[in-house]
Every structure is written in C-alpha cells, then in structure tokens.
Amino acid sequence: MVDLLWSPRLTQKNFSRYIELQNLEELAHGTGPERSVLIACYHYSNFEWLSLASGFLDLKGTIISQQFKNSLLDPIFKKLREQSGHELVPRERGIMRLYKVLRRKGRTALLVDLTVPPSQGAVAIDCFGLKTSVTSAHAWLHERTGVPIIPAHCEPLPDGRYRLIFHPKITNTAGMTHQQIAQACWNSFEPYVRKNPAPWLWMYKHWRYLPASPGRAYPFYANFYRPFEDMLKREKANSSKETQL
C-alpha cells in the first residue's frame, strides 16, 4: 500500500529502475499484431506495480475495480491505478464490458486467486491439494474471444525493487472446460508460492468451503456448503465423461 501511494514517482522513463521484467517475450509471441491479451494475476507481492508496469509497457487495458465501502477513497485509488494508462471500470456488468473490450482487440487483467461463492460463475480447483472455489471469468472470456491468457505475478527483490514475471501462455485450450483452464492458470503460479510463500500472505480465507469427504485436513474456518459440494460432483461427472470419450 505504501508503494502504491509512492507510485506517482514512477514514469515510463524510470520504472525499469525499480521493476525488472522476466519472460517479456511471452507477450510478443502469438498474441497477434494488436497485442490483445488477458493477463491472469495473483495477490502476490506488489501486484499493484505489476499493473502499473504493464501500462508503462504500452499494455494499457480495461480493469475491473472493486469500490471501497468508504466512497471518498474511490477517486484517490482510481487516480493511482490509472496513472500508467489503464481504464478502471466498476464491477457491475464488468465482465460484459471486458468481453466487449477484448472483442475490439483490447486488453485486460483479472485477479484470479480469490475465493468466490459457487453461485458467481465459479469453478473448483486444486489449490495446494485442497479444493477451493475461484472465478472462471478469465476462462469464459478466453473461450468467447479467443484472446490468449498469460498468467503473471510480481515478486520482491532483496533491494526493495520488484520482478515482474510473465508465465508461458496457456495453450491447447480447445476442448478444455472452464475448470481446466482455471486450474492450468493456478498450476503455473503455485510453484512460485511453494518456493517463497511469504509474499502470498494475503489475509483472506482461501478454503472456506469444506467438501463432504475431504481427503485431508482443511483450515479451521472451512465449513460444509451444499452448492460447493454440488459443484464438485458436477465437475467430477464431467471429468468422467471426458475420460470415457
């Protein structure tokens, strides 16, 4: 948060002194001349600077922003987050707005590691061996528009700088379900968290839904939730059908 408030000092000319780039070629490979792309991000380290750096890299996009309970904060953070060229839009009908942006060969980014209720277009993925309910918005947008998904995260460096890492593009998605696409995105990120978990110290209940027959212990806050169990059964049935085919 302090870095975000300091970020007006960042410019397109000097941001590379503070932010290293790794695997930038992933953005140039296979994304087409319009450079239309959907970046799947995570609440890891300084994800705010990941967004700002993308704007300075001329990857300006339209991004959904959650409004604060204190509405006086909204214009402050909107200005900070749009300073490198992004456009922030409210959550209401946000996915449809992103769909239209991608159809016009635009760009967007989504934070895809938050737990969402099964009723909100979610899918269940394996996260450190535990089932959790996450958004499938990035999978739906990819399916509808064909725009490539490139996971990315920001990690801290010892000298107070950061490294922005672009992961390999999620490929061979033809025939994949939304759950499989979401799982593939998470699988590209989990090894980084296992190697250095501290920057993912996000005070959030990632495993709040408890399966009926958990194979291992879940956090103390997890509770059984029928819609989540029904979602697990549907995904298991769909997986069995695909295996038979």
Side-chain angles (χ1 to χ4, degrees):
M1 188 58 63
V2 172
D3 281 339
L4 179 60
L5 294 172
W6 184 89
S7 63
R9 295 170 176 81
L10 294 174
T11 68
Q12 192 164 20
K13 293 182 178 180
N14 73 10
F15 84 96
S16 59
R17 287 163 39 191
Y18 305 96
I19 306 171
E20 290 184 5
L21 304 174
Q22 183 172 319
N23 302 334
L24 184 60
E25 64 275 8
E26 290 294 335
L27 290 169
H29 177 67
T31 58
E34 303 89 355
R35 300 178 76 196
S36 184
V37 66
L38 195 167
I39 298 179
C41 307
Y42 308 88
H43 290 88
Y44 188 85
S45 186
N46 199 339
F47 55 91
E48 298 281 7
W49 276 25
L50 183 157
S51 176
L52 292 176
S54 296
F56 291 134
L57 288 168
D58 199 25
L59 293 169
K60 301 173 180 62
T62 302
I63 301 173
I64 294 176
S65 176
Q66 183 173 357
Q67 294 178 313
F68 288 91
K69 292 181 180 180
N70 180 352
S71 61
L72 295 177
L73 294 173
D74 288 323
I76 297 172
F77 281 83
K78 179 178 173 65
K79 182 178 180 180
L80 288 169
R81 289 166 171 165
E82 288 185 338
Q83 61 187 303
S84 65
H86 297 305
E87 176 194 14
L88 268 65
V89 297
R91 292 185 65 181
E92 184 177 359
R93 294 185 57 80
I95 296 302
M96 290 308 300
R97 296 181 71 168
L98 296 186
Y99 168 72
K100 293 177 182 178
V101 166
L102 295 177
R103 286 293 301 268
R104 296 194 299 266
K105 307 302 181 184
R107 294 173 291 273
T108 190
L110 290 170
L111 288 160
V112 299
D113 61 335
L114 287 179
T115 301
V116 298
S119 60
Q120 296 183 6
V123 291
I125 64 169
D126 285 307
C127 178
F128 297 106
L130 302 177
K131 294 290 186 180
T132 188
S133 178
V134 299
T135 182
S136 63
H138 50 314
W140 184 86
L141 289 169
H142 168 73
E143 178 186 64
R144 294 285 179 167
T145 66
V147 171
I149 300 176
I150 297 180
H153 77 278
C154 181
E155 62 183 26
L157 297 174
D159 55 2
R161 297 182 306 119
Y162 295 94
R163 179 183 293 118
L164 200 170
I165 300 177
F166 294 101
H167 302 203
K169 180 176 66 172
I170 303 300
T171 58
N172 302 321
T173 58
M176 290 176 64
T177 65
H178 291 176
Q179 188 277 335
Q180 291 170 329
I181 294 173
Q183 185 69 62
C185 289
W186 173 257
N187 289 348
S188 76
F189 174 61
E190 184 173 303
Y192 290 96
V193 188
R194 288 186 177 276
K195 183 178 179 180
N196 185 17
W200 201 57
L201 189 59
W202 190 248
M203 288 176 248
Y204 191 84
K205 296 178 180 178
H206 287 281
W207 300 278
R208 64 180 63 203
Y209 302 120
L210 180 68
S213 302
R216 51 180 292 190
Y218 274 64
F220 70 93
Y221 56 75
N223 291 292
F224 178 79
Y225 185 51
R226 173 56 63 182
F228 181 65
E229 183 66 21
D230 293 341
M231 181 169 65
L232 291 176
K233 290 180 179 179
R234 286 194 303 270
E235 291 183 356
K236 184 177 181 180
N238 291 337
S239 178
S240 298
K241 290 179 182 178
E242 291 173 5
T243 301
Q244 291 174 2
L245 292 174

